Amino acid sequence: MRIDIMTLFPDAIEAMMGQSIIGRARDRGFIRLYTHQIREYTTNKQMQVDDYPYGGGRGAVMQADPLYRCWEHVCGEVGERPYTIYMSPCGRTFTQEVAKELRAAHENILLVCGHYEGVDQRFIDECVDEELSMGDFVLTGGEIPAMAVADCLFRMEEGVLPEESCYTDESHWNGLLEYPQYSRPEQWHGRKVPAILLSGNHGGVDDWRRKESYKRTMARRPDLWARFDQSTIKTKHDKKILQQAKDEFAAQQENEE
């Protein structure tokens, strides 16, 4: 997968995305990430990319022309029109399901980072295929959302993580939250690691993790639990684990009351 990012702050993106797992995967050629400084595509000596909004109001708006010139350059580098996403609070909310959809449908994605009061709508109308939001809040620019999207997509690429289960076992992949995790020492501040995790019983550990995933989702994200399709649980054993989770959660609720 190739992801290009149009931004006013490429150094900030390079500093973050060049580190750790994503940075190593990029160095080894498993993923391709390129940043593009929008200011390099202006036609004025000041490298100005913004101006006052028509109709008045505070702030400034990023101009359509430097954005378009940068976008056109990226299209030439890629060799085709990449699927272009503008990071915007007006877009649909980015989720793991959206990430799966984007990864399955597109090999080349271009993320556009806005600033100030946003970007000229004419650029969006002409060049943007979709707007994506991180949630119901506003940031000072699109760089943090763009890095979040790129990281989420890249970690699903072959070779980035040791194996597929490294991301399929995590929160939101199957509509549930992940189970609790523990490491050494066995006891810390009087708190012990659950005995099942020390037992060596791999089947028991798997059951415990599944049950804890159900319970955590019920407790923390009832909206996710309401959407979880319980009909996908087919075997008698798996149905038993689900029922145990429900019973334990109900008992816990009663005790808290």
Side-chain angles (χ1 to χ4, degrees), residues 37 49 83 101 144 243:
Q37 171 58 267
V49 297
Y83 189 73
E101 172 192 318
I144 292 175
Q243 189 58 51

Side-chain angles (χ1 to χ4, degrees), residues 204-246:
V205 169
D206 288 342
D207 290 345
W208 179 88
R209 286 175 170 170
R210 198 175 323 152
K211 184 167 58 176
E212 292 301 312
S213 174
Y214 293 148
K215 289 163 57 180
R216 177 175 277 189
T217 307
M218 285 184 246
R220 300 188 184 185
R221 291 294 302 274
D223 57 320
L224 289 180
W225 184 252
R227 295 197 297 270
F228 178 63
D229 185 4
Q230 297 182 33
S231 68
T232 59
I233 301 173
K234 302 293 187 182
T235 70
K236 184 177 180 180
H237 178 77
D238 290 344
K239 289 179 180 179
K240 178 182 177 182
I241 298 300
L242 175 60
Q243 189 58 51
Q244 287 177 351
K246 290 180 178 179

Side-chain angles (χ1 to χ4, degrees), residues 133-234:
S133 169
M134 288 291 104
D136 297 337
F137 55 90
V138 178
L139 299 173
T140 54
E143 282 73 22
I144 292 175
M147 286 190 282
V149 170
D151 186 287
C152 183
L153 293 174
F154 279 150
R155 69 196 309 276
M156 294 187 286
E157 287 296 291
E158 185 177 354
V160 176
L161 297 177
E163 55 188 59
E164 191 177 84
S165 63
C166 291
Y167 58 84
T168 59
D169 284 351
E170 293 187 328
S171 294
H172 301 294
W173 183 263
N174 60 358
L176 300 170
L177 300 183
E178 189 181 13
Y179 48 82
Q181 299 276 14
Y182 296 87
S183 185
R184 295 179 181 178
E186 291 182 18
Q187 183 168 319
W188 178 82
H189 287 201
R191 300 173 183 271
K192 296 181 179 180
V193 174
I196 185 63
L197 301 181
L198 308 174
S199 68
N201 180 350
H202 299 300
V205 169
D206 288 342
D207 290 345
W208 179 88
R209 286 175 170 170
R210 198 175 323 152
K211 184 167 58 176
E212 292 301 312
S213 174
Y214 293 148
K215 289 163 57 180
R216 177 175 277 189
T217 307
M218 285 184 246
R220 300 188 184 185
R221 291 294 302 274
D223 57 320
L224 289 180
W225 184 252
R227 295 197 297 270
F228 178 63
D229 185 4
Q230 297 182 33
S231 68
T232 59
I233 301 173
K234 302 293 187 182

